[in-house]
Amino acid sequence: MSYRVYDVSMTIHEEMPVYKNKPEKKPEIEVIQDFDTGSARESRIHLDVHTGTHVDSPLHMLPDGGTIETVDVKPLTGPCRVVDLTDVEGGIRRSDLEKYEIREGDFLLLKTRNSEEDAFDFDFIFLAEDGAEFLASCGVRGVGIDALGVERSQPGHPTHKKLFQAGVLIVEGLRLKEVPAGEYFMVGAPIKLRDTEAAPARVLLFEGLSATGV
């Protein structure tokens, strides 16, 4: 069997882009032991749970929402669709999505011009409220986007809330520049943290696998 693997995760390092370029969100990696002081190398990392490619849990926006360990990983492992929205400016709206014949149970990865930039863009493309409402009404199981946030400049965070309230999973910080639009098998489980509202994830897309992964 022949297949191709796309790693669509951000590399975590101290100079990586973070949300709004806030210094306190930058990861810190410290070598606590090296071969000049011991027989093995060991490192320690100080990491915001929303660093790089990550999965949000409902608690991120809903006070009574579940923490990251309550998120079912099954919807994050299975078929997904990359949709090309690189011509969209500003917010992705219902009218931008209707042409894609979105199906119940789809996991959509929104490829935008965000993937062309490595630095944080304060005007990044996001999923607008009516776009989120439309996807929730379609019964999608998840939405991923190539930005460090699924929304921006929307008072009250309605995009997050409409998706979470419909049971839709959210993955942020994807890198989709090299990935053509189409169908893939995704593995995108978050780190198994406890009592947090998000966790970094390694997201892989497999081209050439069936929906069952064989």
Side-chain angles (χ1 to χ4, degrees):
M1 179 177 61
S2 176
Y3 59 88
R4 180 173 181 177
V5 181
Y6 292 93
D7 185 345
V8 294
S9 317
M10 295 177 69
T11 300
I12 295 176
H13 58 94
E14 293 182 326
E15 293 78 37
M16 71 182 297
V18 295
Y19 194 72
K20 293 187 176 180
N21 293 332
K22 294 181 177 180
E24 65 271 20
K25 289 185 174 291
K26 291 278 189 180
E28 297 176 11
I29 303 172
E30 176 189 8
V31 178
I32 58 173
Q33 178 180 289
D34 209 342
F35 296 107
D36 58 347
T37 58
S39 61
R41 179 185 169 99
E42 296 181 4
S43 301
R44 180 176 293 136
I45 186 166
H46 180 79
L47 191 69
D48 189 289
V49 294
H50 298 270
T51 298
T53 308
H54 64 279
V55 178
D56 284 343
S57 81
L59 183 62
H60 182 39
M61 292 294 171
L62 305 177
D64 58 350
T67 52
I68 196 68
E69 78 270 18
T70 69
V71 172
D72 185 2
V73 297
K74 185 176 180 180
L76 291 158
T77 306
C80 73
R81 296 172 63 193
V82 174
V83 293
D84 190 337
L85 295 160
T86 52
D87 60 338
V88 173
E89 296 291 333
I92 300 167
R93 304 195 174 278
R94 179 185 182 120
S95 57
D96 299 311
L97 296 164
E98 287 178 322
K99 59 186 176 183
Y100 288 101
E101 299 182 0
I102 295 165
R103 308 174 295 253
E104 182 177 0
D106 272 348
F107 202 119
L108 296 182
L109 306 185
L110 310 180
K111 178 180 179 177
T112 76
R113 64 172 173 80
N114 297 328
S115 282
E116 300 294 327
E117 299 291 335
D118 291 327
F120 181 80
D121 181 359
F122 281 83
D123 295 320
F124 64 85
I125 307 302
F126 64 100
L127 179 61
E129 179 179 1
D130 71 321
E133 188 172 28
F134 171 65
L135 294 181
S137 71
C138 291
V140 301
R141 74 180 199 278
V143 176
I145 193 166
D146 54 359
L148 288 172
V150 74
E151 67 182 314
R152 65 170 172 85
S153 304
Q154 296 189 129
H157 309 290
T159 290
H160 277 92
K161 290 177 180 177
K162 288 184 182 298
L163 295 177
F164 284 143
Q165 288 164 348
V168 180
L169 294 175
I170 298 174
V171 181
E172 299 172 330
L174 297 170
R175 306 310 295 153
L176 299 171
K177 180 179 180 180
E178 306 300 328
V179 184
E183 306 272 347
Y184 297 87
F185 188 91
M186 179 178 72
V187 177
I191 296 173
K192 198 171 184 179
L193 298 177
R194 179 175 167 179
D195 299 332
T196 67
E197 76 293 337
R202 186 77 175 262
V203 182
L204 305 176
L205 302 183
F206 295 82
E207 182 181 52
L209 295 185
S210 71
T212 59
V214 296

